[in-house]
Amino acid sequence: MRKNKTICVLGLGYIGLPTALFLAKAGYKVIGVDSNKNKIDDLIKRKFPFQEAGFPKLFKEAIKNLSFSLVPEKADVFIISVPTPITKNRKPDLRFVKQAAEDINKILNDKNLIIIESTIPPGTAKEIVLPIFKKRHKNYRIYLSHAPERAIPGKTLKEMVEDDRVIGGIDKKSSNLTKEIYSSFVKGKIYLTDTTTAEFVKIIENTYRDVNIAFANELAKLCDKIKINVWEAIKLANLHPRVNINLPGPGVGGHCLAIDPWFLVRKDDNGTQAIKLARTINDSMPDYVINLISKTVKNIKKPTITILGAAYKANIDDWRETPALKIIKLAKKKGWQVKIHDPYIKNFPYKLLNIKEALKNSDCAVLVTNHDFYKEVDFKKYAVKNIVDTRNFLDKNKLEDINLIVLGGKNNI
Ligand code: SAJ
């Protein structure tokens, strides 16, 4: 049965590519589509655009049912997995989703199923995407659904298989057809609903986390003022059976938490005060980190600081929306010299140095990303005088004689 179906996956990013691989491994004939020629050329040569444990093995298992193309080809099922960024004014930018729908439209057949994986504002499938198909193919029976993923970068392959999923179709048949496709590799439960609810659920999951982290960041600033340690306070509060506060940090990065809440805000600007405020608090953290660094370098004329970790979170090479970029820009604006190190990132807008060069003659090392790599660094060997630890990550016992400021620790203000 599966072998008779062809699935065309549009957008081979962090989710589209593994989805294509899982479906090909399950026996579907899969065409992976991306407009980036270099990416397609690399994939044909089996070079992966990002690092994830298990990728080469999965690729090997999938390859016999897999082909790559720069443009969509005729298929039974189309999966749209393209980016949905926000504009400068923080409005949803649905350009890529609309383009994907237009591209599919040119080759669409009666009774095809279109699945939107990309995170989209509530109402998009029904109000924006469906009319694109209906306009051109008035007499077609079109099946359409939203099947958002929940996998967390760093554990993508594991979570794509194990997580429960929510699928919303424009009708029951669309939901059921989509469930059948995903059941080929998802071991978690699959819950069915309508498209707008599925769109909403995906976004409120990320917004919940963003608001929770904003609360933690606000507590960190407060603890600096009243001179207690926020990390200890949160740990103790979380012992309560119904309290689960996230951790503070240098700000919220990644393509999800920093973006998706705006999709809700733009549905009702006045009715989403808590969500908006959370975004503002999280966006303010790089400035707060700069203030902490300033305390350590205030007597130095043109200080040199070292950014440790440019990825948006630990042990991955993804730097989309990373708070490190904002910290670098703010530091440069102050006239500081900035050196940057990251053990995973290959290409970054600024030059990356090895750890020795990065820490040489540095006035302050700033731990931005809690990569395990930094646990092993001997800061004394590199004669580091000041450290700002924005994640409460470094082992204090190894840092005696170094002036250490922990975000949300005591005595910072
Ligand atoms: N962060 C904190 N404090 C915390 C947790 C995270 O400051 O306690 C920061 C991280 O350092 C990072 C940012 O938040 O900069 C986001 O990281 P994350 O690990 O919270 O989430 P993402 O963006 O990698 O993945 C999220 C996940 N969503 C939820 O956990 C609700 C993932 O399950 C989604 O699939 C993914 O978004 C997505 O693609 O939407």
Side-chain angles (χ1 to χ4, degrees):
M1 166 76 176
R2 270 178 209 159
K3 296 214 166 61
N4 298 333
K5 268 196 182 160
T6 300
I7 303 178
C8 190
V9 180
L10 287 84
L12 299 176
Y14 287 87
I15 295 301
L17 180 58
T19 304
L21 297 182
F22 278 123
L23 292 168
K25 183 186 164 190
Y28 291 108
K29 183 171 175 294
V30 177
I31 306 153
V33 179
D34 203 289
S35 56
N36 181 339
K37 189 174 180 313
N38 291 339
K39 189 184 263 184
I40 293 293
D41 288 344
D42 281 352
L43 283 167
I44 290 168
K45 288 184 224 146
R46 296 196 192 190
K47 258 170 79 183
F48 306 116
F50 40 82
Q51 297 179 3
E52 275 279 353
F55 240 93
K57 185 170 172 274
L58 178 60
F59 202 89
K60 238 184 184 168
E61 292 163 338
I63 194 73
K64 76 171 184 338
N65 291 328
L66 194 60
S67 61
F68 295 107
S69 170
L70 283 165
V71 286
E73 294 173 14
K74 276 186 176 296
D76 304 293
V77 181
F78 295 91
I79 298 182
I80 299 178
S81 189
V82 295
T84 43
I86 45 172
T87 63
K88 275 213 167 99
N89 303 329
R90 289 152 170 176
K91 293 204 169 118
D93 178 357
L94 296 175
R95 202 157 25 126
F96 302 109
V97 171
K98 287 185 195 163
Q99 187 58 52
E102 296 289 4
D103 290 345
I104 293 169
N105 233 355
K106 293 178 199 147
I107 48 171
L108 193 76
N109 274 332
D110 192 21
K111 296 189 183 132
N112 275 171
L113 165 68
I114 304 111
I115 303 169
I116 308 170
E117 272 257 6
S118 314
T119 306
I120 42 176
T124 304
K126 259 196 179 148
E127 291 155 25
I128 295 175
V129 178
L130 186 60
I132 294 178
F133 300 124
K134 287 262 188 203
K135 197 171 163 200
R136 186 161 173 163
H137 302 284
K138 291 190 180 60
N139 302 321
Y140 277 14
R141 176 78 171 89
I142 291 159
Y143 301 112
L144 176 68
S145 66
H146 181 47
E149 49 72 34
R150 285 170 160 171
I152 198 143
K155 289 189 204 153
T156 308
L157 299 187
K158 187 175 179 287
E159 291 207 353
M160 277 183 75
V161 171
E162 290 175 7
D163 288 354
D164 293 346
R165 282 185 90 117
V166 175
I167 287 173
I170 50 166
D171 49 35
K172 271 213 165 103
K173 182 94 192 263
S174 298
S175 297
N176 285 328
L177 285 172
T178 308
K179 184 177 178 180
E180 184 193 315
I181 302 288
Y182 282 90
S183 300
S184 68
F185 69 91
V186 172
K187 290 195 181 128
K189 282 195 187 131
I190 298 179
Y191 296 88
L192 302 185
T193 180
D194 60 277
T195 47
T196 308
T197 304
E199 291 161 343
F200 190 72
V201 168
K202 167 68 198 176
I203 299 170
I204 62 170
E205 289 167 4
N206 283 347
T207 304
Y208 162 77
R209 195 158 165 87
D210 196 46
V211 172
N212 192 331
I213 297 168
F215 178 56
N217 281 331
E218 189 158 277
L219 296 181
K221 292 179 181 176
L222 196 57
C223 284
D224 276 342
K225 283 229 164 75
I226 58 180
K227 300 193 193 310
I228 58 167
N229 187 306
V230 76
W231 306 88
E232 186 193 356
I234 289 178
K235 202 161 135 191
L236 293 172
N238 282 350
L239 295 175
H240 185 289
R242 283 172 297 284
V243 173
N244 191 7
I245 307 170
N246 273 100
L247 297 176
V252 166
H255 192 63
C256 311
L257 271 57
I259 309 273
D260 300 353
W262 291 109
F263 293 178
L264 292 184
V265 171
R266 295 307 176 217
K267 284 280 160 192
D268 180 7
D269 259 87
N270 287 328
T272 47
Q273 300 297 332
I275 301 170
K276 224 176 338 190
L277 189 57
R279 279 282 70 242
T280 310
I281 293 169
N282 289 335
D283 280 347
S284 76
M285 293 314 289
D287 283 291
Y288 193 71
V289 172
I290 289 288
N291 286 343
L292 296 182
I293 305 168
S294 298
K295 288 176 205 314
T296 72
V297 296
K298 58 176 183 266
N299 297 324
I300 304 167
K301 211 165 175 209
K302 198 175 180 330
T304 297
I305 67 156
T306 303
I307 301 293
L308 298 177
Y312 84 87
K313 65 177 191 174
N315 304 323
I316 60 168
D317 63 354
D318 189 340
W319 53 269
R320 290 176 297 172
E321 314 296 327
T322 177
L325 264 183
K326 287 187 202 149
I327 296 169
I328 293 164
K329 279 186 192 146
L330 289 168
K332 282 183 180 283
K333 222 169 156 188
K334 278 187 156 299
W336 299 348
Q337 206 201 320
V338 184
K339 301 208 262 179
I340 307 153
H341 173 267
D342 190 287
Y344 297 106
I345 298 179
K346 300 252 153 37
N347 299 307
F348 192 64
Y350 297 96
K351 190 179 170 195
L352 295 171
L353 301 170
N354 66 38
I355 191 74
K356 189 174 163 197
E357 285 171 37
L359 288 175
K360 195 172 161 193
N361 298 328
S362 175
D363 296 302
C364 181
V366 188
L367 190 289
V368 175
T369 314
N370 42 340
H371 293 310
D372 289 342
F373 177 93
Y374 297 121
K375 278 258 197 242
E376 305 306 321
V377 172
D378 184 351
F379 289 95
K380 283 186 184 166
K381 186 173 107 189
Y382 297 114
V384 172
K385 296 177 284 288
N386 296 295
I387 295 180
V388 171
D389 182 351
T390 68
R391 307 264 188 179
N392 190 33
F393 181 68
L394 298 172
D395 183 351
K396 283 156 206 73
N397 298 325
K398 289 189 190 164
L399 302 177
E400 287 154 11
D401 307 329
I402 295 177
N403 176 36
L404 173 68
I405 287 187
V406 177
L407 182 142
K410 311 183 196 189
N411 305 323
N412 288 344
I413 290 180

